Structures are given as C-alpha cells and as structure tokens.
Amino acid sequence: MKTVFRRPESLANVATHYCPGCTHGVIHRLIAEAIDELGLRERTVGIAPVGCSVLAFNYFNFDFQEAAHGRAPAVATGIKRGRPDLIVFTYQGDGDLASIGMAEIVHAANRGEKFTVVFVNNAIYGMTGGQMAPTTMPGQVTTTSPAGRDVNLVGYPIRMCELLASLRTPGFIERVAVHHPKYIARAKRAIKQAFKYQAENRCFSFVECLSTCPTNWGLSPLKACKWLEENMMPYYPVKNFKTPEEVGSNSQALATDEPRRPSAAPVREPAARNHGEASHAG
C-alpha cells in the first residue's frame, strides 16, 4: 500500500498541550515538513519562547533551547555565530516577540543575523489568561481591556512585518495565515523559503503566521477562523514584504542615500615660532 500521508520525521510522536482549535499545531507541522524536505533535521536547533509554545521543545524531533521571555533572538544569535553550520530558528508569540522582546528582534533583524524567526500572531496573550497584547485589534475585548482596546490610550496594534521590512539590511519578511487550507499552502512555501535562505547563508528571515486563539477570544474554533479573516487580515495583510533579491536590485538606488563619510580632519600648518624662541635661537 502506498503511503500518501505520514508524520514528518522532525515532529515528535506525542500529544500536545494546545487548546482545541489552536493553530500552533498547524505551524509546528509546517516547520517540520520544511525541515524534512530540505534535509536539515540533523543540524537544526529551535529556540522556544515564553508563552503558549513554551513547551515546543517537546514536540519537535531535533535539538531545542529554552530562552528567557523575549530573549530568543539573543540566544539564536549566540548559537548561530558560534556554530554557523547549524540551522537556527526562534518560535515566538506576539507577547514574547512584539512586547518584551521588541528590542531583541529589531536589532537582530537590523544586524542581519542569519537565523529564521517564526512569529505567531494571535492578537492576545494566550498562556497568561488573555491579556491585551501589542497586536490586539482596535476595540478587541481582552481581560485587561474589558471595554475593548482604546487606541487613544494605548495606540494601534504593532505591525511587525511592516516595521522590520523598513530596515535597510537585506532580509526575507513575509506574513501568512494558517486558519484555512488555501492559506496554509502559502504558509508552507514561505516557511520553507525562510529556511532555504538560511541554509544558503543569505539573510535574516522572518515569517509571521496569523493564528487563532479560540479559548481566549471566547469563540468556537470555526468562529475564530472567521473572526481572524474578517478582523485581522484587513489590518495585517497577507503578503511578502521583502526578499534579499529585491534589496539587491535596488542597491544602486539605495546607494544614493548612502551617508557620506566625514572628511578627514583638516591639516593644520605648524605653528610659527614665537618671538621668544626666535630670540633665544639667534
């Protein structure tokens, strides 16, 4: 009998702790499939965050390292710089990456660290009880915004892809969704491409996955998928924001705003002898 579907070798054969309808499991599988298809499993190291996916190291069949809250990019930087031959990726939620870890991810992207980031955006803090996150939608009710997110008080949701794509350093930046099969296929291609760029030592790569959190949204899994499509996708468009090839093709245009080096310090003429020295010499 021909096998047409099986568990990826990079995915451990265990049950997960995720809530029914949560899309972490879908993203885990896409990562495992991409690693297997690229033949990278034996040299892959994942970095687990603090958040719902804090136990991600239990669900993959390759090495993993746990990081302090928001510090996954720093840990990935150390591992990748120490062992450039390894394939290193961080797996982070919106609270971990876009709140306490904001400085970490911005500077890692700006340095062009050659590891991969899989960013899970479900618009809420999941593990700690559904508090407002940096990515919570305007008007969205959470346990810390019972009247809905008021943008006049706390600002608008942060769009990480748009922010990181504005950096001049070459990189691969793409936003995908995982709530429907037609979007999952695209998400698989983006995640695989991100790892491929790293395997080629090309650039920093970042894939944001729009995801559901039925438990903390107070919706059924099916209604959560519909809520994501109607509320999150108009604000967080699914698209590619940056590739290293595009940056390369624009290198000439970018050169026009290359900051000018300061000119060398002017050479000063030797000071003339003062009158007293001249008199002494004579």
Side-chain angles (χ1 to χ4, degrees), residues 236-260:
Y236 298 111
V238 173
K239 59 180 285 190
N240 177 270
F241 291 85
K242 190 176 187 178
T243 65
E245 292 84 359
E246 291 171 354
V247 174
S249 66
N250 293 327
S251 58
Q252 188 172 1
L254 289 171
T256 59
D257 63 353
E258 186 74 37
R260 296 182 60 186

Side-chain angles (χ1 to χ4, degrees), residues 55-247:
L55 301 177
F57 48 79
N58 285 329
Y59 308 139
F60 290 99
N61 186 24
F62 45 70
D63 289 338
F64 242 87
Q65 172 72 45
E66 181 63 60
H69 203 185
R71 306 300 185 254
V75 176
T77 296
I79 294 175
K80 187 67 180 181
R81 290 196 176 199
R83 287 285 306 274
D85 57 310
L86 297 179
I87 300 298
V88 182
F89 77 96
T90 71
Y91 188 97
Q92 300 176 260
D94 38 19
D96 186 85
L97 182 141
S99 183
I100 193 169
M102 174 62 87
E104 300 279 346
I105 191 62
V106 170
H107 287 285
N110 196 49
R111 293 193 303 268
E113 300 291 349
K114 293 180 177 58
F115 60 78
T116 299
V117 176
V118 177
F119 170 46
V120 182
N121 178 4
N122 60 11
I124 206 164
Y125 277 87
M127 182 184 75
T128 51
Q131 295 88 355
M132 185 179 69
T135 53
T136 294
M137 298 303 299
Q140 182 179 347
V141 174
T142 71
T143 55
T144 52
S145 58
R149 178 178 186 141
D150 185 345
V151 297
N152 294 315
L153 294 177
V154 297
Y156 283 85
I158 294 175
R159 293 189 275 212
M160 290 305 304
C161 281
E162 287 84 341
L163 190 156
L164 297 180
S166 70
L167 300 173
R168 180 169 178 174
T169 306
F172 174 73
I173 310 288
E174 184 156 334
R175 181 182 291 125
V176 299
V178 293
H179 66 293
H180 189 282
K182 70 178 179 181
Y183 295 111
I184 291 174
R186 176 171 175 168
K188 167 73 178 296
R189 289 194 295 271
I191 291 172
K192 188 174 180 180
Q193 184 62 57
F195 281 110
K196 188 176 179 183
Y197 277 129
Q198 183 181 169
E200 296 170 352
N201 199 33
R202 293 282 299 278
C203 63
F204 173 83
S205 53
F206 181 96
V207 179
E208 176 180 347
C209 301
L210 299 183
S211 306
T212 62
C213 184
T215 298
N216 286 301
W217 291 357
L219 299 172
S220 69
L222 186 60
K223 289 182 178 178
C225 292
K226 185 178 180 182
W227 190 91
L228 184 156
E229 185 138 359
E230 293 179 348
N231 294 276
M232 293 183 70
M233 294 187 73
Y235 188 85
Y236 298 111
V238 173
K239 59 180 285 190
N240 177 270
F241 291 85
K242 190 176 187 178
T243 65
E245 292 84 359
E246 291 171 354
V247 174

